[in-house]
Amino acid sequence: MDAMLSDPAFRTYAICVSILAFKMLLSAFYTGSRRQRHQAYINAEDARTFGRQGTTSAEVDSAEVAHALRIQRNDLENIPTFFAVGLVYVLSGASPLGATAYFWTFTVARLVHTVAYMRRIQPLRAICYGVGALCVVGMIVQILLAALRSPTV
Amino acid sequence: MDAMLSDPAFRTYAICVSILAFKMLLSAFYTGSRRQRHQAYINAEDARTFGRQGTTSAEVDSAEVAHALRIQRNDLENIPTFFAVGLVYVLSGASPLGATAYFWTFTVARLVHTVAYMRRIQPLRAICYGVGALCVVGMIVQILLAALRSPTV
Amino acid sequence: MDAMLSDPAFRTYAICVSILAFKMLLSAFYTGSRRQRHQAYINAEDARTFGRQGTTSAEVDSAEVAHALRIQRNDLENIPTFFAVGLVYVLSGASPLGATAYFWTFTVARLVHTVAYMRRIQPLRAICYGVGALCVVGMIVQILLAALRSPTV
């Protein structure tokens, strides 16, 4: 089983999955800190438990919290897809060079995307989104080509 | 590593993951096009950058955009789960026939689900949702049976 | 391929993925049952098809339905990440003991999290969230250590 890490493509995948998963945890923490700062709890039970005395829950998320939630939502639309497509790409016989190019480009693009979203920098955020999406499309094309070429006996 | 694609079950998995991941990208594009058409930007920075002159951001998503976002959300609740369960099913020794039946049924059901959601066709959308969920349940049952039968030395 | 299930770490992963995926389906069912009970359909086409006569769609989700949706959303932020990180952890040579500890702790924490969310019990829900996140962080650290130690020839 250990043999997998000696495959450079899988090793790069493992490192990039780790970085992106950790980033997602930090994004959740960021949302939580917005809630805390603005005392903006959407669940009554959270306002009671974590709010300052007298805090009540809100009908809707405050603008700051909703913005933080959109950062997370954008990750949810993109990163789990990368997890699946990236692994299939590795298991379909990715070259070390291809894996390095796709995985690191995607990872850096999503890290910059988060920072650009937090600081509300456009069109940088949109560009990072596009770069990430293009990495996924590139891997999909290579997976399909490899699947078509592969003989199923 | 290339050997994986010569396993017909993995090959089918790879093709279906590719199709579903591409569909998710198209759904994101669909949501973006609704925003553009209705000039309905929720982030102030997006309205400034992508809106026509004088466009301001909205307090809440417009009905059309919210509908498009629900299509994506339904995918997020179902497709990443399929990615994980499907791969475990393959790695647990899925038969080529079982893989073909589950993976293609799920993939077609989710494609039709999206079209039915876009065109607001019920109960077709609900039926497609149910068919997809049943595929996942079927694989879960087979994985658990295989795990129970498997000797752990 | 069947060999994978004879690896105790993968076997535990397979069982925990199955349990969590099934739990996510039940959470979706729970949300649907809230909609049905409160006749709170957000899509006009759903109100027409599934509502009692004269039911109209709502502008926003009712409080009960929104609460149920937040249970699902919290799962979406955490469980697909676990699916990816857990598999990488297995493929990086997880020990049977490590896999059992991380996978079962995460799985039980997320099951209790759902029940605590449904019954609005705090701070139990927050503690379960934290325990799950710590499991993911622990696996990330072990993956990165294994990747650094692994020789890439």
Side-chain angles (χ1 to χ4, degrees):
Chain A
M1 200 56 62
D2 214 24
M4 280 294 281
L5 273 181
S6 64
D7 172 8
F10 178 75
R11 196 166 164 270
T12 307
Y13 175 77
I15 293 168
C16 289
V17 166
S18 299
I19 292 170
L20 290 167
F22 191 67
K23 191 219 79 64
M24 290 175 83
L25 287 174
L26 290 184
S27 289
F29 189 78
Y30 176 76
T31 302
S33 73
R34 295 305 94 169
R35 278 202 199 286
Q36 191 71 32
R37 173 179 300 180
H38 298 274
Q39 294 285 304
Y41 301 101
I42 192 91
N43 294 308
E45 62 269 29
D46 301 354
R48 268 199 308 277
T49 314
F50 302 113
R52 292 191 209 98
Q53 220 179 355
T55 306
T56 54
S57 61
E59 286 285 298
V60 288
D61 283 312
S62 77
E64 276 291 301
V65 172
H67 191 260
L69 283 169
R70 286 198 292 276
I71 300 180
Q72 289 190 272
R73 180 172 169 135
N74 197 285
D75 280 347
L76 296 183
E77 287 170 15
N78 290 280
I79 295 180
T81 306
F82 168 79
F83 288 161
V85 171
L87 185 60
V88 171
Y89 178 61
V90 169
L91 297 176
S92 301
S95 69
L97 183 67
T100 301
Y102 283 127
F103 298 167
W104 280 112
T105 304
F106 182 89
T107 302
V108 171
R110 294 305 306 183
L111 292 176
V112 178
H113 181 274
T114 300
V115 175
Y117 215 143
M118 285 169 64
R119 308 209 169 175
R120 300 167 187 265
I121 306 169
Q122 280 287 30
L124 177 63
R125 192 190 93 210
I127 291 167
C128 289
Y129 177 87
V131 169
L134 283 180
C135 288
V136 172
V137 170
M139 287 189 281
I140 288 173
V141 170
Q142 290 202 238
I143 290 166
L144 291 176
L145 288 176
L148 290 176
R149 267 199 308 264
S150 164
T152 359
V153 193
Chain B
M1 199 56 63
D2 214 24
M4 280 295 280
L5 273 181
S6 64
D7 172 9
F10 177 76
R11 196 166 164 270
T12 308
Y13 175 77
I15 293 168
C16 290
V17 166
S18 299
I19 292 170
L20 290 166
F22 191 67
K23 192 219 77 65
M24 290 175 83
L25 288 173
L26 290 184
S27 289
F29 190 78
Y30 175 76
T31 301
S33 74
R34 295 304 95 172
R35 278 201 199 288
Q36 190 71 31
R37 173 180 302 181
H38 298 275
Q39 295 285 303
Y41 300 101
I42 191 92
N43 293 308
E45 63 268 30
D46 301 355
R48 266 198 309 277
T49 315
F50 302 113
R52 292 190 209 99
Q53 220 179 354
T55 306
T56 54
S57 62
E59 285 284 298
V60 290
D61 283 311
S62 77
E64 276 291 302
V65 173
H67 191 261
L69 283 168
R70 285 197 292 276
I71 300 178
Q72 288 190 271
R73 181 173 169 133
N74 198 286
D75 280 347
L76 295 184
E77 287 171 14
N78 290 282
I79 295 180
T81 304
F82 168 79
F83 288 161
V85 171
L87 185 60
V88 170
Y89 177 61
V90 169
L91 297 176
S92 300
S95 69
L97 184 67
T100 300
Y102 283 128
F103 297 165
W104 280 112
T105 304
F106 182 89
T107 302
V108 172
R110 294 304 306 183
L111 292 176
V112 178
H113 181 274
T114 299
V115 175
Y117 215 143
M118 284 168 64
R119 308 210 169 175
R120 300 168 186 265
I121 306 168
Q122 281 286 29
L124 177 62
R125 192 190 93 210
I127 292 167
C128 289
Y129 177 89
V131 169
L134 283 180
C135 288
V136 172
V137 170
M139 286 189 280
I140 287 173
V141 170
Q142 290 202 238
I143 290 166
L144 291 177
L145 288 177
L148 290 176
R149 267 197 312 262
S150 165
T152 357
V153 193
Chain C
M1 199 58 61
D2 214 24
M4 280 296 280
L5 273 181
S6 64
D7 172 10
F10 178 76
R11 196 166 165 270
T12 308
Y13 175 77
I15 293 168
C16 289
V17 165
S18 299
I19 293 171
L20 290 167
F22 191 66
K23 191 218 79 65
M24 289 174 83
L25 288 173
L26 290 184
S27 289
F29 190 78
Y30 175 76
T31 302
S33 75
R34 294 306 95 172
R35 277 200 201 286
Q36 191 70 32
R37 173 179 301 181
H38 298 274
Q39 294 285 303
Y41 301 101
I42 191 91
N43 293 309
E45 63 268 29
D46 301 355
R48 268 198 308 275
T49 314
F50 302 113
R52 292 189 210 101
Q53 217 176 359
T55 305
T56 54
S57 61
E59 286 284 298
V60 290
D61 283 312
S62 78
E64 276 291 302
V65 172
H67 191 261
L69 283 169
R70 285 197 291 277
I71 300 179
Q72 288 190 272
R73 181 175 168 131
N74 197 286
D75 280 349
L76 296 184
E77 288 172 14
N78 289 282
I79 295 179
T81 305
F82 169 79
F83 288 161
V85 171
L87 185 61
V88 171
Y89 177 61
V90 169
L91 297 176
S92 301
S95 69
L97 183 68
T100 301
Y102 282 128
F103 297 165
W104 281 112
T105 304
F106 182 90
T107 303
V108 172
R110 294 305 305 184
L111 293 176
V112 178
H113 180 275
T114 300
V115 175
Y117 215 143
M118 284 170 64
R119 309 208 167 175
R120 300 167 187 263
I121 306 169
Q122 280 287 28
L124 177 62
R125 192 190 94 212
I127 291 167
C128 289
Y129 177 89
V131 169
L134 282 180
C135 288
V136 172
V137 170
M139 285 188 281
I140 287 173
V141 170
Q142 290 201 239
I143 290 166
L144 291 178
L145 288 176
L148 290 176
R149 267 198 310 264
S150 165
T152 358
V153 193

